[in-house]
Amino acid sequence: MRKRDLLTPVGITIGFIMIMLAILSNGGQEGLAIFVDIAAIFIVIGGLIGSLFINFKFEQMKTVTKVLGEAFKKDDRDLPGLIRQFVHLSEKARKEGLLALELDLDEEVEDEFIKKGILLAVDGMEPDVIVDIMNAEIKAMEERHYRGRLIIEKAGEYAPAWGMIGTLVGLVLMLNNLEDPAGLGPNMAVALITTLYGTVLANLVFLPMASKLENKTEEEMFIREIIVEGILGVQSGQNPRILEEKLTAYLYGENSKEEDLHTDEAESHEA
Amino acid sequence: MRKRDLLTPVGITIGFIMIMLAILSNGGQEGLAIFVDIAAIFIVIGGLIGSLFINFKFEQMKTVTKVLGEAFKKDDRDLPGLIRQFVHLSEKARKEGLLALELDLDEEVEDEFIKKGILLAVDGMEPDVIVDIMNAEIKAMEERHYRGRLIIEKAGEYAPAWGMIGTLVGLVLMLNNLEDPAGLGPNMAVALITTLYGTVLANLVFLPMASKLENKTEEEMFIREIIVEGILGVQSGQNPRILEEKLTAYLYGENSKEEDLHTDEAESHEA
Amino acid sequence: MRKRDLLTPVGITIGFIMIMLAILSNGGQEGLAIFVDIAAIFIVIGGLIGSLFINFKFEQMKTVTKVLGEAFKKDDRDLPGLIRQFVHLSEKARKEGLLALELDLDEEVEDEFIKKGILLAVDGMEPDVIVDIMNAEIKAMEERHYRGRLIIEKAGEYAPAWGMIGTLVGLVLMLNNLEDPAGLGPNMAVALITTLYGTVLANLVFLPMASKLENKTEEEMFIREIIVEGILGVQSGQNPRILEEKLTAYLYGENSKEEDLHTDEAESHEA
Amino acid sequence: MRKRDLLTPVGITIGFIMIMLAILSNGGQEGLAIFVDIAAIFIVIGGLIGSLFINFKFEQMKTVTKVLGEAFKKDDRDLPGLIRQFVHLSEKARKEGLLALELDLDEEVEDEFIKKGILLAVDGMEPDVIVDIMNAEIKAMEERHYRGRLIIEKAGEYAPAWGMIGTLVGLVLMLNNLEDPAGLGPNMAVALITTLYGTVLANLVFLPMASKLENKTEEEMFIREIIVEGILGVQSGQNPRILEEKLTAYLYGENSKEEDLHTDEAESHEA
Amino acid sequence: MRKRDLLTPVGITIGFIMIMLAILSNGGQEGLAIFVDIAAIFIVIGGLIGSLFINFKFEQMKTVTKVLGEAFKKDDRDLPGLIRQFVHLSEKARKEGLLALELDLDEEVEDEFIKKGILLAVDGMEPDVIVDIMNAEIKAMEERHYRGRLIIEKAGEYAPAWGMIGTLVGLVLMLNNLEDPAGLGPNMAVALITTLYGTVLANLVFLPMASKLENKTEEEMFIREIIVEGILGVQSGQNPRILEEKLTAYLYGENSKEEDLHTDEAESHEA
């Protein structure tokens, strides 16, 4: 089971605490009540949902909660462990043959994508066909993630627009009722609250979440590319040291434990 | 006949209901009347039409209603069925020969694009030529969809601009008639209504629709790429299981019924 | 001689009529006079010309009127006729040899680009060289059109900026003369007029025209790519039916008379 | 020595005259004095320099004046002359051998890039190596120009931001001193002047200059690509007529004297 | 140890001095106090941190200070020295064999990337494998830098948004307390200060720093590409003169000492 990514709820909490502090320091406790406006919530959230309903298919809309949940989960891949696993698989394949890999597959390999790749390799498929099938899956994963993320991104675009629509509605109503100068300020305040809601939703919730999901997809794709590289190396019976060297070169961008790996490399040169 | 996509009208209705609720809750029933302004409708819609007339050719303008209608229709492709169909065609071609496919083509295959591909394969054309011709058609479809969608996208760009033009016209007129302070508010309210119209049109109608049409085009292109892959597999007499594996890998991005297909795959490995 | 594209002047006229209607309905006939301001025209148009002078070379600036004129002209290519022409040329080349094409070239072919391609083919140049030379010309055309269009696009960018500059100048002057409260409104109105001019120029004139010119260039490039395809087919002595099939596949994106062509295709399959 | 590009100073002058006319027509001669504000100049120019110092290295900052000067110079390449030169070199190489080109190189060829290419060709280097070395230089030139232009582009981005910062500073100060209603207008006017400065600097100076420099780089790269094509043609002993045909095809995008060249082509076909 | 890049702190200092001068010249010394507002600092910085926490993983957030520090450091590579080094290595490899390079590697070569490349070459790996491994490292470096820079870029996006959120909060509170007209101005001033903070943070700190880091990454990648080119030349035993010529062609874009190198080239032609 994947761990929770605490940074997402912590970040949202920090953002809201900052807004509340700003309200309390300037407007006192009664100031907080001003900022809760049911009608404003309705027009921003409701209008946003309306735009998203037009923008997406029902099947996609159903995935929203799952996609949002994804931003609260942690994907920590053990990259040096991944490379060690491929070095191990490569050594085993050279000693006992490719077919030996299939036997203990379920105990040794947890990741479904690696399993599938090894099964294809053991089945004796051509390297080109393996690359084709595995890349098709990577591309499909990217596409699927992109479609999920797109809903959050579009929500980040429509939210400020609906904030502005709410403000315009409020301003038009206020300007038609100028007889009561005492109500002028509070009415305009209410009008501005929708813009505030739209801006906060976009910049504290939707845009950072969409950006985090994009980072996660890029990372996962990067790791899967290393896996494809590794599967091919195992199948072709490549020297485990060269395979390690290659996969390690990719790793540099992902991990700061470069030093530890450097020493391994040095050894492999001496060997 | 294609089913209606209910989400588009539902989304538009939700959006307008939210705006009406916001008006009613703040301005009461008489508030609604303020927001209907014939002159504002004229300048935003009329000006928008003017910009679009300059931007597009007459032939393109005529397709607008068809393109808009497209956003209200559903394209549900039965993807597992598509793959089953190719597995079936592939098996039949291996048993009875490619020519056998032509006989029951009209009963077995509904999709015009698949039919055309099979006819080209049966005609004995080179795989390269088939790919060329079918890709030319995919590219032409993309181009055709793009041109239709572009009108909606541009409408989404020009609508807020015309809203702003209307507001500027209203403000200039109002500022020249400051003698009557009582009319100041309502006049400014009228001026702001065009901006409201432009923003709502863009963010509730044009932009989400253009985005939905783009999603649909991407999906259709993706499916047609699978079809080309399938036609080539059928023509080359590829093993139906490998063909299924390949097409299924593409499918992952499209369908959440991955689990069901996983079992099929497992069987194919055991076979 | 090319026909006039009526949509461009019609669109501009509709836009201006809408603005005038909005003025008349709110401000009456005397309202119209407020919106004509010589100083505002000077700063928006003059400043725009200044920015364009810095941005472009004199040779490019001279082409502006020609480029603008292009947006008022119609390019109607007879696409089915183009394909029929290539089928005819292909049949003739197969019957009477490639050299026969040169004899009646001027009567049979009007388009300079097709003529040049056929002369290159008749001269016995290698297909690669023909593609190189013809693509160099297509790229050069794209580049030339792009440079012309760029002026209009940049005008659409600078116009709102100069509108804003004019408004800022007006506001600064007004704010220094607050003693006369009666003049406040009209002075601010005058200041806003430059923003109105800039926005209308950009959204009713420059941006839609630049977009139309871009569409036209894309269309012409698309047609020239079909022509290159056709010339190569004619030179290589390709079967006229296959050539027609190929060129028709491209055509789908351009023409809604697909049905008529479908029947032709059907015949070609029966033949 | 290169000629001066008069359009750049003329454009800047036109822009400033338009602004002055707008000021004079609305505010009279005393209006002009309002628009010169030392503090505003300091914050916009000084802040802009601060942002650029952070953004670029010292070596790049030193090139700014050279890069700006570039926008005031004219690059007129004699394109038909360039083609004639290559036809001449090609004829000479076919008659007298490649080595003959080296003898009169300094008299016949002025351009350093062509000289270098011919020396490489005469040295008997492989065409691939020549293309590699010359493309590396074209890429390096593009990179060098890009880095110089980037400073101007970034200046065009930071200038309006600093204008806004100045206006915010002015507004905050003004709002803290509302006791004196007479000073309200002039103080707000002063605050707006920085926004005016930032907008004018960006839209009349930096953005058009950066765009002109980009156009110039594209043109120079285009010409150098033709030169590489020409050098290869000369080295391979290609027929001077075919070489002319090829280079002329590129030329179409650059020069409106197509007609003159068309006649040359016709001759080459008759020959 | 790398030298400090003085331009970054100097630029930030200039920016703040300019803002202070603007405040002092208009508002006097007491004006400065107005611009320090603890609540405003909290909402802009705190909210920004909240958005970044959601946007990034904890591992990435920890690198922020290191990445920011990077913008204060200088990377001066001695490019002519780099080329001289490769010419030397190439000569040595031709005289004494590739293996000789390994012996004095640590004394002669300081750069880790060059060392790794030479070790791979000495190990007798295929040129393709060397290019693969070294490019994987370059790509990994680009990716790592990109992820660090992205935090700064996103900070530059969220800062103005949080400035606007603070201003909206302040305006809403102010509009609810219009009874005290004396407090109107100062309250609005306080509201605007957050927008000022957000704009200054974005345009004086985050955006220029992110842009500088991007320039540095591009430069480093460019140099590493030259290094890969050099390693391959050394391994293949390429003529040191041709190698120098090739690497020098790349150099043009990086260094203004072109003249000095030109003379070297001339010699190499005479040789």
Side-chain angles (χ1 to χ4, degrees), chain B residues 39 42-43 46-47 49-61 112 116 119-120 123 125 129 132-133 136-137 139-141 143-144 146-147 150 154 157-158 161-162 164-165 168-173 175-176 178 190, chain C residues 7-8 10-12 14-15 18-19 21-23 25-27 31 34-35 75-76 184-186 188-189 192-193 195-196 199-200 203-204 207-209 211-212 215 218-219 225 242 245-246 249-250 252-254 258 262 265 269:
Chain B
F42 261 73
I43 193 163
I49 291 173
S51 292
L52 293 177
F53 267 33
I54 303 165
N55 201 142
F56 295 99
K57 291 168 66 172
F58 191 56
E59 289 76 32
Q60 281 176 283
M61 289 304 288
E112 285 298 322
K116 169 146 202 184
L119 283 174
L120 291 170
D123 274 10
M125 295 227 176
V129 178
D132 274 8
I133 291 180
E137 253 182 61
K139 224 192 127 201
M141 179 201 75
E143 189 70 23
R144 197 174 58 234
Y146 168 70
R147 294 198 181 185
L150 196 61
K154 287 283 173 188
E157 275 177 42
Y158 294 135
W162 279 97
M164 194 188 156
I165 289 171
L168 284 168
V169 167
L171 284 179
V172 169
L173 286 172
L175 288 165
N176 271 287
L178 291 181
V190 168
Chain C
L7 242 61
T8 305
V10 165
I12 295 179
I14 289 176
M18 289 303 151
I19 296 173
L21 283 179
I23 297 171
S25 76
N26 287 344
I34 304 168
F35 286 87
D75 293 299
D76 278 334
L184 198 76
M188 197 161 161
L192 283 179
I193 279 177
T195 293
L196 178 64
T199 314
V200 170
N203 289 287
L204 184 57
L207 296 179
M209 274 188 181
S211 181
K212 168 168 260 168
N215 288 353
E218 275 172 19
E219 229 176 277
E225 277 164 30
I242 295 182
E245 183 96 6
K246 242 185 169 169
Y250 280 109
Y252 268 57
E254 281 299 306
E258 298 167 14
H262 246 302
E265 282 166 42
H269 279 294

Side-chain angles (χ1 to χ4, degrees), chain B residues 51-257:
Chain B
S51 292
L52 293 177
F53 267 33
I54 303 165
N55 201 142
F56 295 99
K57 291 168 66 172
F58 191 56
E59 289 76 32
Q60 281 176 283
M61 289 304 288
K62 280 192 300 188
T63 64
V64 164
T65 45
K66 217 181 108 198
V67 171
L68 281 174
E70 201 64 30
F72 288 89
K73 279 179 200 148
K74 227 173 178 168
D75 292 298
D76 278 332
R77 304 279 284 204
D78 173 18
L79 279 164
L82 185 74
I83 289 177
R84 272 194 300 275
Q85 187 168 51
F86 273 109
V87 171
H88 169 73
L89 288 169
S90 162
E91 281 163 350
K92 190 168 173 184
R94 279 159 73 101
K95 280 187 216 141
E96 312 172 28
L98 263 176
L99 289 173
L101 296 181
E102 199 173 8
L103 295 177
D104 317 315
L105 194 58
D106 284 327
E107 292 99 80
E108 285 186 356
V109 183
E110 232 180 287
D111 185 278
E112 285 298 322
F113 189 71
I114 304 181
K115 266 190 207 168
K116 169 146 202 184
I118 292 187
L119 283 174
L120 291 170
V122 170
D123 274 10
M125 295 227 176
E126 293 293 306
D128 286 1
V129 178
I130 294 179
V131 171
D132 274 8
I133 291 180
M134 298 193 85
N135 279 348
E137 253 182 61
I138 293 177
K139 224 192 127 201
M141 179 201 75
E142 189 191 6
E143 189 70 23
R144 197 174 58 234
H145 285 200
Y146 168 70
R147 294 198 181 185
R149 194 175 67 234
L150 196 61
I151 306 181
I152 315 294
E153 269 173 24
K154 287 283 173 188
E157 275 177 42
Y158 294 135
W162 279 97
M164 194 188 156
I165 289 171
T167 298
L168 284 168
V169 167
L171 284 179
V172 169
L173 286 172
M174 184 200 81
L175 288 165
N176 271 287
N177 270 304
L178 291 181
E179 299 98 54
D180 171 24
L184 198 77
N187 282 336
M188 197 161 161
V190 168
L192 284 178
I193 280 177
T194 55
T195 293
L196 179 64
Y197 283 6
T199 313
V200 171
L201 272 179
N203 288 288
L204 184 59
V205 183
F206 297 129
L207 296 180
M209 274 190 182
S211 181
K212 167 168 259 169
L213 292 170
E214 192 177 0
N215 287 354
K216 281 185 161 186
T217 304
E218 275 171 20
E219 229 175 276
E220 185 63 22
M221 281 176 68
F222 174 75
I223 290 164
R224 293 200 172 187
E225 277 163 30
I226 298 181
I227 290 173
V228 173
E229 203 70 31
I231 297 281
L232 293 180
V234 169
Q235 196 198 25
S236 67
Q238 199 168 34
N239 182 317
R241 288 291 148 219
I242 294 183
L243 184 63
E244 189 185 356
E245 184 95 6
K246 241 184 169 170
L247 301 185
T248 304
Y250 280 110
L251 201 82
Y252 269 58
E254 282 299 304
N255 202 297
S256 56
K257 290 175 199 157

Side-chain angles (χ1 to χ4, degrees), chain C residues 125-217:
Chain C
M125 296 228 175
E126 293 293 307
D128 285 1
V129 178
I130 295 179
V131 170
D132 274 9
I133 292 179
M134 298 191 86
N135 278 349
E137 253 181 63
I138 292 177
K139 225 192 128 201
M141 179 201 75
E142 190 191 6
E143 189 69 25
R144 198 172 56 233
H145 284 200
Y146 169 70
R147 294 198 181 185
R149 193 175 68 234
L150 197 62
I151 307 180
I152 315 293
E153 268 173 23
K154 288 285 172 185
E157 274 178 42
Y158 296 133
W162 279 97
M164 194 188 154
I165 288 171
T167 298
L168 284 168
V169 168
L171 284 180
V172 169
L173 286 172
M174 185 200 80
L175 288 165
N176 271 288
N177 271 303
L178 291 181
E179 299 97 53
D180 170 25
L184 198 76
N187 282 337
M188 197 161 161
V190 168
L192 283 179
I193 279 177
T194 56
T195 293
L196 178 64
Y197 283 6
T199 314
V200 170
L201 272 179
N203 289 287
L204 184 57
V205 182
F206 297 129
L207 296 179
M209 274 188 181
S211 181
K212 168 168 260 168
L213 291 170
E214 192 177 0
N215 288 353
K216 281 184 162 188
T217 304

Side-chain angles (χ1 to χ4, degrees), chain D residues 51 54-55 57 123 175-176 178, chain E residues 34 185 203-204 211 219 269:
Chain D
S51 292
I54 303 166
N55 202 141
K57 293 169 66 174
D123 273 11
L175 288 165
N176 271 288
L178 291 181
Chain E
I34 305 169
N203 288 288
L204 183 58
S211 182
E219 230 175 275
H269 279 297

